[in-house]
Amino acid sequence: MKLLHKDIEKDNAGQVTLVPEEAEDMWHTYNLLQVGDSLRASTIRKVQTESPTGSVGSSRVRTTLTLCVETIDFDSQACQLRVKGTNIEENQYVKMGAYHTIELELNRKFTLAKKSWDSVVLDRIDQACDPAQKADVAAVVMQEGLANVVLVTPAMTLLRAKVEVTIPRKRKGSCTQHEKALERFYEAVMQAILRHINFDVVKCILVASPGFVKDQFITYLFKEAVRQDNKVLLENRPKFMLVHSSSGHKYSLKEILCDPTVTSRLSDTKAAGEVKALEDFYKMLQHEPDRAFYGLAHVEKAADALAIDTLLISDKLFRHQDVPTRSRYVRLVDSVRDNGGNVRYQLSFERLTMLLGVAAILRFPIADLSEAEEDSSSEED
């Protein structure tokens, strides 16, 4: 993401102009947008025209509209973002108050205005515009006939290619068709890796599968690399790491990233930090439960006691459309930061969702708050 202009007043109202440069930037933009914001961007509008003879025709024209945002629709697979709202500035093609849907495009600037820019939204802009936040982990999750090539960033997992090839079963006395199909499949996966993985940025490529599919593929990959004298693959051979997975589907990536051998290898990558923070919380919950709190009410009380060392909070909570509720989460983040704590914005991990979207690792133990409340209520009685 590129920041072209930023104008925010002392009362936190203002606007920013941004240019999304890659698919992941659409995810960041989705997290920046809220109902009630105003969005100015280039779009295409179907316009009806009437000729002097009375015949009516229609044409598609490119124009710039400013909408008051009403609905936000994000397609995570295609990384497409559509924003629907009413026009709030005069335009020769669109009346004031008319509805329109803008589909934000890569490499086309947009201006987003808000009545109040809070710290979490400004953090999101800094994160999106930081070149160091690029995907430095790639994974090929595969099984016979199916492979998913994905890039893992601190913010999200991007599916770059899905390879599907029908593999016939081995027949008694002849394996020719099976072997030919496997070779076609491995070749397609190899081409997907070369097309979608930037070896200058990526530090580690995880190749995961059930059984021996991964081993056979790696053997094929480097045999072909030698035959074709492909220097990119040969020079980056140490970056490939073989891992077991239960299937070749994308959801297996979660179990792969939690594998201890993988986390130690990925220790210097940004994506691993998000997974490790959640693992640390669960270890603390198991061994020192008085230093692991979850649920908004309990975590807020720990923040009031200046006890939070690391706050884990789901980015899903900041898309809450109820302003007072969202403000409560923002105040919690600001409080932890002001008191020297770390804040980790987590993807919408199911494991964090089970903890009500917010959890904290404490600097020092605090007695279970629910027990303390029961004791105080019994004393009052």
Side-chain angles (χ1 to χ4, degrees):
M1 187 94 82
K2 190 183 289 181
L3 178 65
L4 298 182
H5 178 71
K6 185 176 179 182
D7 180 19
I8 296 172
E9 305 293 335
K10 287 181 181 176
D11 62 354
N12 291 330
Q15 62 183 33
V16 296
T17 302
L18 298 160
V19 180
E21 296 178 306
E22 52 189 57
E24 189 191 350
D25 293 338
M26 291 301 180
W27 167 257
H28 289 301
T29 306
Y30 170 56
N31 283 288
L32 292 174
L33 285 164
Q34 287 174 273
V35 172
D37 293 347
S38 86
L39 176 71
R40 181 176 177 80
S42 174
T43 184
I44 292 174
R45 177 82 173 184
K46 192 175 181 181
V47 178
Q48 286 197 333
T49 53
E50 190 172 336
S51 68
T53 59
S55 62
V56 177
S58 66
S59 61
R60 291 163 68 83
V61 295
R62 183 167 281 282
T63 184
T64 300
L65 292 180
T66 305
L67 303 184
C68 178
V69 177
E70 288 192 12
T71 57
I72 306 152
D73 179 34
F74 180 65
D75 180 346
S76 58
Q77 293 299 317
C79 280
Q80 290 179 329
L81 182 59
R82 296 180 186 88
V83 183
K84 182 181 178 184
T86 51
N87 185 35
I88 55 173
E89 281 189 14
E90 283 291 347
N91 185 282
Q92 67 181 103
Y93 302 112
V94 186
K95 293 178 184 174
M96 289 276 285
Y99 276 93
H100 183 77
T101 300
I102 291 177
E103 183 172 325
L104 291 177
E105 301 170 59
L106 290 178
N107 301 310
R108 279 194 185 274
K109 69 177 182 179
F110 66 86
T111 300
L112 178 63
K114 289 177 178 283
K115 290 174 184 172
S116 176
W117 289 85
D118 58 51
S119 60
V120 171
V121 180
L122 294 172
D123 276 350
R124 174 70 69 169
I125 291 176
D126 292 340
Q127 183 186 348
C129 297
D130 180 3
Q133 293 285 347
K134 303 297 180 191
D136 55 358
V137 179
V140 183
V141 190
M142 63 196 308
Q143 62 190 46
E144 270 197 9
L146 171 68
N148 290 285
V149 179
V150 295
L151 296 177
V152 185
T153 77
M156 68 183 299
T157 304
L158 292 165
L159 178 65
R160 278 294 182 231
K162 187 174 184 178
V163 179
E164 289 182 286
V165 174
T166 305
I167 310 286
R169 289 185 178 182
K170 291 180 182 177
R171 295 187 180 277
K172 196 173 182 181
S174 173
C175 301
T176 313
Q177 294 299 317
H178 176 82
E179 286 169 1
K180 280 184 179 176
L182 267 182
E183 198 165 305
R184 280 200 313 276
F185 171 58
Y186 292 153
E187 174 63 25
V189 177
M190 176 179 168
Q191 292 306 322
I193 288 172
L194 291 170
R195 194 177 305 118
H196 297 289
I197 294 177
N198 181 352
F199 287 93
D200 293 333
V201 177
V202 170
K203 295 178 182 175
C204 180
I205 302 123
L206 304 171
V207 181
S209 78
F212 296 101
V213 178
K214 57 186 181 298
D215 306 87
Q216 292 163 359
F217 169 67
I218 285 294
T219 303
Y220 172 87
L221 181 70
F222 289 107
K223 187 178 172 184
E224 282 297 298
V226 170
R227 189 179 69 81
Q228 297 174 16
D229 194 25
N230 188 315
K231 289 187 170 62
V232 173
L233 284 174
L234 294 171
E235 287 169 7
N236 288 282
R237 186 168 189 160
K239 292 183 180 179
F240 285 83
M241 179 181 181
L242 300 184
V243 196
H244 173 78
S245 69
S246 56
S247 80
H249 295 280
K250 188 184 162 187
Y251 62 75
S252 295
L253 193 60
K254 285 180 186 174
E255 69 181 70
I256 296 163
L257 292 174
C258 291
D259 186 318
T261 56
V262 174
T263 50
S264 62
R265 170 74 183 266
L266 302 185
S267 58
D268 64 334
T269 64
K270 297 169 214 69
E274 310 307 313
V275 178
K276 186 178 182 299
L278 198 54
E279 288 299 312
D280 288 346
F281 172 80
Y282 273 101
K283 282 178 188 171
M284 191 67 76
L285 187 62
Q286 187 177 1
H287 300 295
E288 290 186 69
D290 285 351
R291 286 184 59 200
F293 277 25
Y294 61 91
L296 183 58
H298 281 197
V299 171
E300 280 180 325
K301 286 178 181 175
D304 291 342
L306 312 184
I308 296 180
D309 181 49
T310 303
L311 174 70
L312 311 176
I313 189 160
S314 170
D315 57 6
K316 192 177 182 180
L317 299 177
F318 297 103
R319 295 197 290 274
H320 209 291
Q321 297 306 336
D322 180 46
V323 176
T325 305
R326 190 181 188 283
S327 300
R328 194 174 167 188
Y329 294 126
V330 173
R331 280 197 304 274
L332 175 61
V333 168
D334 289 343
S335 167
V336 171
R337 278 227 179 91
D338 291 345
N339 292 301
N342 299 310
V343 177
R344 291 274 191 182
Y345 297 111
Q346 297 273 326
L347 287 177
S348 304
F349 281 130
E350 288 166 20
R351 291 169 74 194
L352 188 56
T353 307
M354 288 192 301
L355 301 172
L356 309 176
V358 59
I361 299 171
L362 308 190
R363 294 187 177 103
F364 49 83
I366 297 180
D368 189 351
L369 292 173
S370 55
E371 288 176 12
E373 285 164 8
E374 285 170 15
D375 290 346
S376 61
S377 60
S378 62
E379 282 170 17
E380 286 168 12
D381 294 340

